[in-house]
């Protein structure tokens, strides 16, 4: 009986050690404050352009400081709940017929996300309609994207963000330009 117990302990110990080693080997190195997604994208904000934050690769990202959410991320919450939550569930949590976007956005490339929203997608049990001509979605697609990123990384929780930054003049100008074209 002792031999079996010792063998079991040895196998269990080796398994746990292997899992710990695998985790340390596959975890990408991160700078202080950086967050790297499973798709390799770093969500660290480095520049604000037209009232929206971007990372070092010029991809939209979120910025949350001391519990205050940037305006674009806050607006993404509003736009998501106006256009997307009927199928994809509250806060991107998914439904019986549409995926949890807060999870898939972490694995998708930004440009793939844009392509799916613009052109739609046909699945085996579902159809994602194309929203490329819907200004209420397309003028705010980056906002929806960063909201889903912020929620998917657990930077913000479920529900309406409690505090938000003010809407900048640059954001307003870009929004007016898109909605009037």
């Amino acid at each position: 009986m002792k031999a079996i117990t010792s063998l079991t302990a040895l196998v269990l110990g080796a398994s746990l050690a292997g899992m710990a080693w695998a985790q340390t080997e596959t975890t990408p190195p991160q700078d202080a404050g950086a967050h790297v997604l499973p798709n390799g994208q770093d969500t660290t904000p480095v520049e604000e352009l037209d009232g929206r934050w971007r990372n070092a690769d010029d991809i939209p990202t979120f910025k949350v400081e001391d519990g205050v959410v940037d305006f674009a991320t806050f607006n993404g919450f509003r736009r998501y709940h106006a256009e997307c939550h009927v199928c994809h569930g509250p806060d991107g949590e998914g439904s019986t017929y549409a995926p949890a976007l807060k999870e898939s956005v972490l694995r998708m490339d930004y440009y793939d996300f844009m392509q799916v929203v613009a052109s739609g997608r046909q699945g085996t049990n579902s159809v994602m309609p194309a929203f490329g001509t819907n200004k209420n979605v397309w003028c705010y697609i980056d906002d929806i994207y960063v909201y889903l990123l912020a929620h998917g990384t657990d930077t913000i929780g479920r529900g309406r963000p409690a505090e938000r930054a003010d809407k900048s003049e640059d954001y307003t100008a870009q929004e007016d330009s898109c909605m009037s074209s």
Side-chain angles (χ1 to χ4, degrees):
M1 183 69 162
K2 285 185 180 182
I4 292 173
T5 304
S6 297
L7 181 59
T8 303
L10 180 63
V11 170
L12 180 60
S15 296
L16 291 174
M19 288 180 355
W21 181 79
Q23 286 178 347
T24 58
E25 290 298 310
T26 59
T27 303
Q30 295 184 11
D31 297 328
H35 190 280
V36 178
L37 302 177
N39 68 12
Q41 178 183 316
D42 187 338
T43 61
T44 304
V46 296
E47 179 184 25
E48 187 175 13
L49 181 65
D50 294 331
R52 291 176 172 90
W53 285 94
R54 298 195 168 274
N55 70 9
D57 295 321
D58 200 34
I59 294 174
T61 193
F62 55 88
K63 184 170 185 179
V64 180
E65 287 184 328
D66 299 323
V68 178
V69 176
D70 67 282
F71 184 81
T73 301
F74 175 80
N75 195 49
F77 165 83
R78 293 175 50 220
R79 295 298 173 161
Y80 174 87
H81 284 84
E83 300 290 336
C84 312
H85 93 275
V86 172
C87 295
H88 292 282
D91 301 305
E93 300 282 335
S95 70
T96 56
Y97 54 90
L101 295 180
K102 76 169 200 142
E103 296 166 2
S104 60
V105 76
L106 302 178
R107 295 183 307 273
M108 284 182 100
D109 176 85
Y110 166 72
Y111 301 102
D112 291 339
F113 177 84
M114 300 288 281
Q115 177 65 36
V116 170
V117 175
S119 303
R121 177 181 278 177
Q122 179 88 25
T124 54
N125 294 329
S126 62
V127 174
M128 164 77 180
F131 285 98
T133 59
N134 181 337
K135 287 186 179 187
N136 289 318
V137 172
W138 203 247
C139 288
Y140 304 100
I141 191 62
D142 286 348
D143 299 357
I144 294 168
Y145 177 77
V146 298
Y147 159 69
L148 290 168
L149 279 181
H151 183 49
T153 59
D154 294 325
T155 303
I156 61 172
R158 293 188 75 174
R160 182 184 179 107
E163 292 186 63
R164 65 165 172 83
D166 292 332
K167 186 177 185 179
S168 70
E169 289 181 19
D170 287 342
Y171 185 100
T172 301
Q174 189 279 327
E175 178 181 40
D176 291 346
S177 173
C178 185
M179 291 301 281
S180 65
S181 59

